[in-house]
Amino acid sequence: MIINHPLLGPRDRQEFTYLGDACLIDRPDWQAGNAMDQFYEYVYLRDDPAGEHRELWYHEHGDRSWLVVTRNTVTHEITNVELASDVARKQGRSK
Amino acid sequence: MRYSGLRVIREALNGQKGWKPAWRNPEPKPNYDIIVIGGGGHGLATAHYLATKYGEKSIAVVEKGWIGSGNAGRNTTIVRGDYTLPPNTRFYDHSVGLWEKMERELNFNVMHSQRGLLFVHHNDSERDDHYRKTNIMRMQGTDGEILGPEQVRKMYPSMNFDGRFPITGAYLHRRGGTARHDAVVWGYARSADRRGVDILQNCEVMGFRIEQGKVLGIETTRGFIGARKVGVSVAGNTSRVMDMAGIRTPIESHVLQAFVSEGLKPIIPGQVNYGAGHFYISQSDKGGLVMGGDLDQYNSCAQRGNLPVFESVIEAAVTLFPMLSRARLLRAWGGLQDMSMDGHAVIDETPIKGLYLNGGWCYGGFKATPAAGECFAHLLSTEQPHELAKPYRLDRFRTGYLLDEKGQGPNPNRQ
Ligand SMILES: Cc1cc2nc3c(=O)[nH]c(=O)nc-3n(C[C@H](O)[C@H](O)[C@H](O)COP(=O)(O)OP(=O)(O)OC[C@H]3O[C@@H](n4cnc5c(N)ncnc54)[C@H](O)[C@@H]3O)c2cc1C
């Protein structure tokens, strides 16, 4: 599997480590009233489709950036790769 | 028809004309009391116990392909009970006990062979960890003992003791071993069928009919089938089947691969695990070496594996048993495993009345087959959790009573 890194171009999957569903970017507010429920869902309940999946990969043996990769879990076809920091910024986060 | 040595002789004299199919292929009835989804080892064992131990009369097992087409027919068949957390020790110890009497109970040869599970270590800290583990196991009444390098050398002279990671000893779990995976499926199917359970193959569940929070039946490729209770036991498909009922589960699908060599003369008498990498090996009764290692490490529904894992498994094989570098690999395949967030299973009711779940078995589901079947049957029939399955709650992730045997945190690909 080749991941097309937005800055470095096509890189072998073995340079990366995998974390999981990209929803892990959106850490809940620990001060919210229902923080316990929100953290339960954040930590344990993730999407697990047979098909397109947005997920976090870490370029451990490279530039150590976090990527959001859109990959088909049945065919392993990768249709989109973004820097996780860009994704977070697009959602209105400052860092 | 009872199977016996006498029967084999009689059929041999008779031109083998007397054998009958071991189970029927019935049409679905409109309604059942209990439907079990998934014709793997767990689903069929559940049906067997529902019919034999709990006296249920109206049961169906619904399978999307043929029975045993999932992990039950794809695994590396290791059966062991070497756990450390007390709930797991109790459960797996009971399971190994059920394996020991399975063949008599089913009147079927599942080739269960307690050939001993050996886990080698390569340095002081691994040895200390194995002492700790076997001490915990022995305190809980399971067998586990530490062997020195000379004892290991006697058992496995062909292992490389002085390589990059010298072998300094091992722990041995004598009750561990292997079994014939397909035979387990067939044995339970035959037993369940003989007691009137309908095994419905080529019948994929596409959805649930749920009204006012209660399950009324399942929508399948062979039409609607009504049921008072439905048990989901679909292994690697758990998260997607539960999604159909609107329930999100702390379970993901990951691929695990298995590799089999050409048939060789007996060279590996037991089941061996490597300490300096994730690798395990045993030899089937046909002579093929059966090997496995890590998950592919990312969510996958592909039922086929990637090359980096292939490479690491073969590298470990040749490091541990250098003679294997000349052996040829015959087959490799992958299966979908239901990896949970703490590495352990769920046998529990769900927020929907009449809908029950048995899933999240990760690597350990084959050895759990009889005990999981018994506990799930208990839950489906009595609507109360079996004593052994009480810790396997679905809400333990919310309440914090995790069964994190390895301490890996909520990372399904690392369990
Ligand atoms: C390569 C590999 C090696 C393994 N090695 C070991 C080992 O050495 N020891 C060990 O203890 N465990 C091992 N396991 C794990 C073990 O095989 C599984 O945990 C166990 O088999 C799961 O239970 P099962 O037999 O009921 O699953 P399965 O046999 O997978 O049964 C589930 C069934 O549900 C069916 N199904 C799915 N979706 C639907 C639907 N919508 N409608 C109808 N039917 C459906 C599937 O077709 C399947 O037949 C291994 C797994 C793999 C993949």
Side-chain angles (χ1 to χ4, degrees), chain B residues 97-399:
Chain B
L98 293 178
W99 276 100
E100 286 164 349
K101 50 187 187 196
M102 187 186 289
E103 297 180 343
R104 262 164 296 147
E105 197 178 322
L106 298 180
N107 177 230
F108 205 94
N109 182 7
V110 301
M111 297 163 82
H112 179 223
S113 146
Q114 294 180 298
R115 49 185 73 180
L117 174 145
L118 188 85
F119 210 122
V120 297
H121 47 249
H122 309 268
N123 53 44
D124 291 355
S125 55
E126 277 177 14
R127 181 204 57 205
D128 292 352
D129 184 51
H130 281 174
Y131 265 113
R132 175 182 162 273
K133 180 163 176 166
T134 45
N135 284 344
I136 295 175
M137 280 155 58
R138 290 165 75 134
M139 278 164 66
Q140 299 183 68
T142 314
D143 82 284
E145 62 203 84
I146 299 287
L147 306 183
E150 287 318 310
Q151 286 164 294
V152 181
R153 208 184 278 267
K154 243 187 226 143
M155 293 171 77
Y156 293 94
S158 56
M159 229 148 51
N160 182 6
F161 283 80
D162 314 306
R164 170 73 180 82
F165 301 103
I167 292 168
T168 57
Y171 88 72
L172 179 65
H173 171 54
R174 290 188 191 273
R175 285 170 83 205
T178 58
R180 170 85 203 273
H181 49 358
D182 294 321
V184 175
V185 172
W186 300 332
Y188 278 124
R190 171 166 167 269
S191 163
D193 178 88
R194 289 209 298 190
R195 290 166 179 94
V197 173
D198 281 359
I199 298 172
L200 309 173
Q201 305 184 73
N202 296 313
C203 184
E204 181 169 357
V205 174
M206 313 295 283
F208 294 90
R209 194 174 289 177
I210 296 165
E211 270 172 31
Q212 293 169 336
K214 187 176 178 337
V215 71
L216 301 179
I218 53 175
E219 306 286 353
T220 77
T221 45
R222 293 172 75 174
F224 173 78
I225 311 175
R228 287 201 302 120
K229 297 179 215 171
V230 177
V232 176
S233 188
V234 295
N237 289 289
T238 302
S239 51
R240 280 168 310 285
V241 171
M242 295 310 283
D243 275 348
M244 294 176 193
I247 296 172
R248 275 165 78 82
T249 45
I251 293 171
E252 289 181 355
S253 306
H254 288 262
V255 161
L256 181 68
Q257 304 188 54
F259 307 91
V260 179
S261 78
E262 61 190 332
L264 302 167
K265 292 210 167 141
I267 39 171
I268 296 184
Q271 198 279 313
V272 181
N273 298 270
Y274 187 39
H278 194 179
F279 171 72
Y280 42 91
I281 184 167
S282 61
Q283 188 166 20
S284 80
D285 290 346
K286 267 196 295 191
L289 299 171
V290 183
M291 298 172 270
D294 266 330
L295 292 176
D296 275 12
Q297 296 291 338
Y298 40 83
N299 296 43
S300 178
C301 296
Q303 288 218 31
R304 66 187 148 73
N306 66 20
L307 285 172
V309 168
F310 197 130
E311 214 176 351
S312 87
V313 166
I314 301 307
E315 274 170 6
V318 174
T319 315
L320 193 57
F321 292 101
M323 62 173 177
L324 295 187
S325 64
R326 299 275 201 93
R328 273 166 300 198
L329 209 63
L330 204 61
R331 292 183 292 142
W333 64 86
L336 284 198
Q337 288 195 148
D338 36 344
M339 300 302 297
S340 73
M341 293 281 167
D342 64 357
H344 275 279
V346 170
I347 305 179
D348 203 0
E349 57 186 18
T350 69
I352 291 168
K353 208 170 155 5
L355 183 65
Y356 298 86
L357 172 65
N358 165 45
W361 284 99
C362 306
Y363 284 98
F366 183 66
K367 65 177 93 51
T369 303
E374 187 183 10
C375 290
F376 200 36
H378 184 98
L379 178 67
L380 280 164
S381 181
T382 66
E383 301 177 23
Q384 296 297 321
H386 189 284
E387 197 49 44
L388 290 172
K390 276 184 183 162
Y392 298 155
R393 297 286 307 261
L394 182 55
D395 70 359
R396 69 173 182 270
F397 300 92
R398 190 187 282 277
T399 55

Side-chain angles (χ1 to χ4, degrees), chain A residues 1 12-14 17-21 36-37 40-41 43-51 53 55 57 71 73-76, chain B residues 239-240 248-254 296-302 304 306 308 311 341 394 397-398 402 410-414:
Chain A
M1 211 156 73
D12 192 275
R13 158 261 177 281
Q14 275 187 284
T17 50
Y18 177 77
L19 185 64
D21 190 353
M36 279 292 270
D37 287 335
Y40 159 67
E41 290 184 13
V43 175
Y44 295 115
L45 303 183
R46 304 179 193 168
D47 284 346
D48 183 35
H53 186 219
E55 53 203 21
W57 289 78
R71 180 181 58 97
T73 60
V74 180
T75 61
H76 299 321
Chain B
S239 51
R240 280 168 310 285
R248 275 165 78 82
T249 45
I251 293 171
E252 289 181 355
S253 306
H254 288 262
D296 275 12
Q297 296 291 338
Y298 40 83
N299 296 43
S300 178
C301 296
R304 66 187 148 73
N306 66 20
E311 214 176 351
M341 293 281 167
L394 182 55
F397 300 92
R398 190 187 282 277
L402 300 182
N411 300 304
N413 55 334
R414 299 281 154 90

